Amino acid sequence: MSKIVEGLKYSDTHEWVKTEGDIAIIGVTDYAQKEMGEITYVDCPDVDDEVEKGGEFGALESVKAASDLFSPVSGTVTEVNEAVVDDPKLVNDDAFENWIIKVQMSDASELDDLMDASAYKAFIKE
Amino acid sequence: MDGEIKKTCLHGSHVALGAQMSPFAGFDMPIQYAGITQEHLAVRNRVGMFDVSHMGEIFISGPDAERYVNHIFTNNISGYQPGKILYGMMLYPNGGCVDDLLVYREFEPDRFLLVVNAANIDKDYDWMLRNSTGYDVKIDNQSDAWGQIAIQGPESEKTVLDVLGLDCAQKLGFYEYCNADYNGHRLIVSRSGYTGEDGFELYATLQDTIKIWDRLLKAGVEPCGLGCRDTLRFEAGLPLYGDELSDEITPIEAGLGIFCKLDKPEFIGREALVAQKELGVEKKLVGIEIFDRAIPRHGYPVELEDGTEVGVVTTGYHSISLDRSICFALVQTKYSTLDTPLWIRIRKKVFPGKVIKKRFYETKYKK
């Protein structure tokens, strides 16, 4: 069973969002990291890049394949988790602890379109 | 793929071992068990085993067998003794590749075993039948009756001898095989493989394949999936049909000209290859290394510094054994010489690199 954290918002492309004021902290779910296997590379945007809700902002790569990352919200990248870029396996170790980017949201109401923990749990149907 | 997905005789074992399964070439195959990196390193450092029962086995026999095989096969089997194996391709008249395959010369006269890619079994069998007019041969597709296990790695000889007691394995050089008796059935012990390491490929009945697999599992041999089969063959510079070879890629373009004996009087596709040799080819398969940890994948564009597209990646990985981001790519011939600077577009970014030798990993075959 994959871990799901209460109080976060979830996208149907398996990203999670935690909000601190108007900052969205974005990572991938435990389910996603399990599906991918050993993550060997994290492709991140640069700070100050614009991201769009539903738009690709980077990718996670396992030995076998690349999986695009999609932003659950629109806004401007304020921070990239360099620890994860340097050591991609951190995402496998704890996908909720090891966020990928932080985004200053341009429209916090976009969060309403995302799933809560119980809806996401139903969505992945484990 | 039409119809139901096929299962090999070892499917139950893969599921019981908790393998991650995925459709490949019409079969539900294990991609990985413990993980691609662990399995890859087991083969490089010790020994691993693969279920390759999906591969096709087609037997050619009859008075014209040798002449017929030489007609459809790029390599030259004349003068090859029983017990020897040859690698080569079957080509269309335009030089495009029907498949790449192994040809085993059997110990009985006028008999050969052709081992072909799983995805191509039906196409190959049909091609063989269609091109057999005028040859007194029997073409017998026994693919569903044979299982196959590949045992690969520096400890593979020890494994085959100590765990399975297949004594005839010891005297084999690479690309040689012997026949053993297993429960009264034929077992083909072939010193060959697709990993760059020493190794064996065992062809057996379906029931024997299950028994052999279970004995190897009990002896602690690491089960390895198709995931690391691809990373291993890639590092060793070996092509995969569908990536480095296809109906649109000739062996000359893929750098496999040494397996095409243009001095043979005749084989299907020969004229096209002779012309390519004389006039040169427009595209060539190269190795490229990029100076970053980003991973070039199949289909990504290869570019010049100004963004002009000059090729495409066919297979790429962050190499497990070499810790470098490398790929095979088909590029315009004028950009194929060693050390040529080339760029690879990976999603929104472009990464600089250069042409390197295709055999990334030094192979360790038994001489």
Side-chain angles (χ1 to χ4, degrees), chain A residues 35 37-38 40-41 43-46 56-59 61-66 68, chain B residues 32 35-37 227 230-231 292-295 297 300 317 320 346-349 351:
Chain A
E35 285 289 299
E38 310 148 66
T40 58
Y41 183 77
D43 183 0
C44 277
D46 297 323
E56 179 203 324
F57 73 82
E61 303 225 20
S62 67
V63 175
K64 191 81 197 143
D68 288 338
Chain B
Q32 59 174 29
I36 292 176
T37 303
D230 201 54
T231 57
D292 194 277
R293 291 191 65 87
I295 305 168
R297 307 260 185 207
Y300 289 3
Y317 285 106
I320 294 168
I346 299 177
R347 290 176 293 275
K348 290 170 186 162
K349 297 174 192 164
F351 295 88

Side-chain angles (χ1 to χ4, degrees), chain B residues 120-357:
Chain B
N120 294 337
I121 294 171
D122 295 342
K123 177 184 79 174
D124 290 357
Y125 179 59
D126 183 55
W127 179 255
M128 289 175 197
L129 287 178
R130 279 201 281 140
N131 288 284
S132 64
T133 312
Y135 293 89
D136 187 0
V137 288
K138 184 181 168 208
I139 302 167
D140 183 13
N141 179 8
Q142 294 189 12
S143 300
D144 291 341
W146 292 84
Q148 193 196 149
I149 298 170
I151 301 166
Q152 302 281 300
E155 292 174 14
S156 57
E157 182 181 284
K158 189 179 183 321
T159 302
V160 168
L161 295 174
D162 294 357
V163 180
L164 301 175
L166 299 170
D167 296 333
C168 77
Q170 199 163 15
K171 63 176 194 299
L172 298 175
F174 206 62
Y175 271 53
E176 292 178 353
Y177 77 95
C178 56
N179 287 316
D181 183 280
Y182 200 86
N183 298 329
H185 309 132
R186 184 180 182 194
L187 169 66
I188 302 171
V189 183
S190 170
R191 193 159 210 154
S192 52
Y194 195 45
T195 61
E197 301 297 331
D198 186 19
F200 296 86
E201 293 175 302
L202 307 181
Y203 302 79
T205 68
L206 304 183
Q207 298 105 310
D208 291 344
T209 299
I210 296 168
K211 284 178 192 147
I212 291 167
W213 178 268
D214 288 343
R215 283 172 73 182
L216 293 166
L217 259 188
K218 272 201 194 102
V221 178
E222 180 105 22
C224 297
L226 294 186
C228 79
R229 185 168 159 83
D230 201 54
T231 57
L232 290 160
R233 70 90 191 167
F234 164 73
E235 287 181 350
L238 301 170
L240 172 65
Y241 189 89
D243 286 342
E244 285 74 37
L245 278 172
S246 75
D247 56 0
E248 292 178 345
I249 306 169
T250 74
I252 306 288
E253 292 163 343
L256 301 168
I258 58 161
F259 302 107
C260 303
K261 302 303 181 198
L262 300 182
D263 55 350
K264 277 205 304 191
E266 181 272 341
F267 63 86
I268 302 171
R270 179 179 174 278
E271 286 71 26
L273 298 194
V274 167
Q276 280 199 333
K277 276 268 185 183
E278 273 172 16
L279 304 171
V281 289
E282 281 176 21
K283 56 187 179 182
K284 260 178 129 168
L285 192 74
V286 295
I288 300 175
E289 172 172 18
I290 57 169
F291 315 123
D292 194 277
R293 291 191 65 87
I295 305 168
R297 307 260 185 207
H298 179 96
Y300 289 3
V302 179
E303 300 181 351
L304 301 180
E305 192 168 19
D306 67 4
T308 312
E309 200 172 318
V310 295
V312 62
V313 174
T314 58
T315 304
Y317 285 106
H318 189 82
S319 161
I320 294 168
S321 295
L322 306 169
D323 192 23
R324 293 152 64 195
S325 285
I326 49 182
C327 65
F328 289 140
L330 265 180
V331 301
Q332 291 174 22
T333 303
K334 59 183 163 183
Y335 304 109
S336 64
T337 48
L338 284 183
D339 296 323
T340 303
L342 289 172
W343 284 255
I344 296 177
R345 182 170 293 277
I346 299 177
R347 290 176 293 275
K348 290 170 186 162
K349 297 174 192 164
V350 181
F351 295 88
K354 66 169 185 187
V355 175
I356 61 169
K357 284 188 184 151

